[in-house]
Amino acid sequence: MKILLKNLLLMMLVSAISLQIHAQTQDSITGKGTAAESQLKIGKIEPYWLTVTYEKTTHIIFPAKIKYVDLGSENVIAGKAESAENVLRIKAAVRDFESETNFSVITEDGKFYSFDVFYSKYPATLNYDVLKMLYSREKENVKDVLFEDMGNSTPSLTNAALRAIYVKNRKLIRHIGSHSFGISFLLRGIYIHGGKYYFHTELKNTTNVPFPVDFMTFKIVDRKRGKLTASQEIELIPLRSYFPVTDIGENNSERNVFVLDQFTLADDKMLVIEIFERNGGRNQRVEILNDDLIHATLVKNLKLIF
């Protein structure tokens, strides 16, 4: 009897110790989980919410081109509007879906947007302007995303530099330009910031005939070449521009700012910027030498505009 009682007490003691160890382990895990969750909440991005329906399409206008869209479920479908890369179309793919879903958008200016989506037979709003939303002081819900092509420069800082150059509108260069057929293509300034060049350009049309822009190129070419020498050209792709390249109406002008990676030129090379007229021959060309590049103006001399 005594032996049985001792075995029973021993079993109860072992069970108690096991329960205590298990409880401590659970407390430790729970504590770590709570701490991790608490840290993540510091960087929490509060989503916007909107309602969609099956019979109608909702449009969201973003301030910049859309680079990425991710949908939370198959209950909704979305896509960029044709010929408008900053407009997202979204609608319900399933009638009367009950569960909440979401989607995320990243735009070319490095902004990250998060949305929660609900179904409604009669949505109160079908069209949204994100820029107006940002002006209403909801900027805390929009986060910057770093793009590989911009290096360590945040998109918001790059956009601030673009805006500052455009708004200040200084004419720092007076010797680089092209004039023909009533069209003028001018380089107003070259700036540098964060390992990037900013080229400030102006296109003027002093005629009554609109200038439809076909395309624009940046190329490094040979300054001089013999008739029997093969021409070597290196095309440079702008990383960003302040505005899309647009047509120029009659007796009108447009300015723009383009961002390119930093580079320099050998003595026998030059940078050529060309703009071509669609179905026309009033093409314009400007030539930039290395001396122009190395005297680029620092953007920090300007007051950045956010």
Side-chain angles (χ1 to χ4, degrees):
M1 186 66 180
K2 289 182 179 181
I3 295 174
L4 182 61
L5 184 60
K6 285 182 180 181
N7 289 338
L8 182 61
L9 290 173
L10 182 60
M11 291 175 61
M12 291 175 64
L13 181 60
V14 170
S15 298
I17 293 173
S18 298
L19 287 172
Q20 185 177 5
I21 292 173
H22 180 72
Q24 289 176 351
T25 302
Q26 290 297 321
D27 288 343
S28 177
I29 294 173
T30 304
K32 289 181 180 179
T34 304
E37 183 182 1
S38 176
Q39 292 174 7
L40 286 173
K41 281 185 176 179
I42 296 173
K44 182 179 179 181
I45 300 174
E46 291 292 342
Y48 301 105
W49 65 269
L50 74 158
T51 53
V52 297
T53 190
Y54 186 82
E55 300 291 348
K56 296 180 179 180
T57 301
T58 295
H59 290 86
I60 306 174
I61 305 171
F62 292 89
K65 293 180 182 179
I66 298 166
K67 292 199 68 170
Y68 168 89
V69 178
D70 181 74
L71 302 178
S73 75
E74 296 181 353
N75 288 335
V76 293
I77 54 175
K80 288 188 289 187
E82 296 178 4
S83 303
E85 295 188 13
N86 67 320
V87 179
L88 183 72
R89 301 178 301 179
I90 186 165
K91 65 183 300 182
V94 178
R95 292 180 184 272
D96 302 315
F97 68 81
E98 295 182 357
S99 59
E100 170 191 339
T101 186
N102 74 319
F103 69 95
S104 302
V105 175
I106 297 176
T107 53
E108 190 178 66
D109 58 353
K111 300 299 183 183
F112 176 87
Y113 302 86
S114 177
F115 299 85
D116 283 344
V117 185
F118 306 86
Y119 188 89
S120 173
K121 289 185 178 179
Y122 309 103
T125 305
L126 288 174
N127 301 306
Y128 299 87
D129 188 333
V130 173
L131 190 59
K132 289 183 179 179
M133 177 180 68
L134 297 181
Y135 282 157
S136 66
R137 296 185 179 182
E138 294 187 51
K139 276 185 153 182
E140 66 276 6
N141 291 344
V142 184
K143 303 301 178 184
D144 271 349
V145 175
L146 286 174
F147 290 126
E148 184 178 354
D149 58 358
M150 295 307 295
N152 293 326
S153 296
T154 63
S156 58
L157 188 58
T158 301
N159 292 332
L162 285 167
R163 190 175 299 112
I165 293 169
Y166 183 85
V167 172
K168 293 292 183 182
N169 191 22
R170 295 179 179 175
K171 189 171 179 60
L172 303 178
I173 295 177
R174 301 183 181 275
H175 65 284
I176 300 177
S178 172
H179 311 271
S180 61
F181 308 109
I183 305 297
S184 298
F185 184 44
L186 310 173
L187 182 64
R188 298 182 65 86
I190 303 174
Y191 298 81
I192 191 164
H193 173 72
K196 311 295 178 187
Y197 279 123
Y198 293 75
F199 292 86
H200 185 195
T201 65
E202 182 176 17
L203 186 62
K204 292 183 178 180
N205 180 7
T206 60
T207 74
N208 294 323
V209 181
F211 185 92
V213 177
D214 192 4
F215 61 93
M216 187 174 180
T217 62
F218 292 74
K219 292 181 180 180
I220 297 176
V221 303
D222 296 329
R223 291 181 65 178
K224 296 179 181 179
R225 62 184 180 91
K227 293 182 179 180
L228 300 178
T229 304
S231 176
Q232 294 183 347
E233 297 184 350
I234 301 174
E235 185 171 1
L236 305 178
I237 307 299
L239 303 175
R240 296 286 186 277
S241 65
Y242 190 62
F243 291 119
V245 178
T246 58
D247 298 347
I248 310 300
E250 62 275 11
N251 297 296
N252 206 345
S253 66
E254 294 288 346
R255 291 183 295 110
N256 210 338
V257 185
F258 299 89
V259 183
L260 280 80
D261 274 321
Q262 178 183 314
F263 62 95
T264 55
L265 300 168
D267 290 339
D268 60 343
K269 301 288 183 181
M270 62 182 176
L271 173 67
V272 173
I273 307 176
E274 291 182 284
I275 190 161
F276 295 85
E277 181 183 20
R278 186 169 60 252
N279 300 322
R282 296 179 293 175
N283 306 330
Q284 302 296 315
R285 167 190 173 108
V286 298
E287 299 176 353
I288 301 161
L289 303 180
N290 192 60
D291 192 56
D292 302 309
L293 293 176
I294 63 176
H295 288 96
T297 301
L298 289 173
V299 173
K300 70 179 183 180
N301 293 340
L302 292 171
K303 182 179 179 181
L304 297 185
I305 302 173
F306 289 89

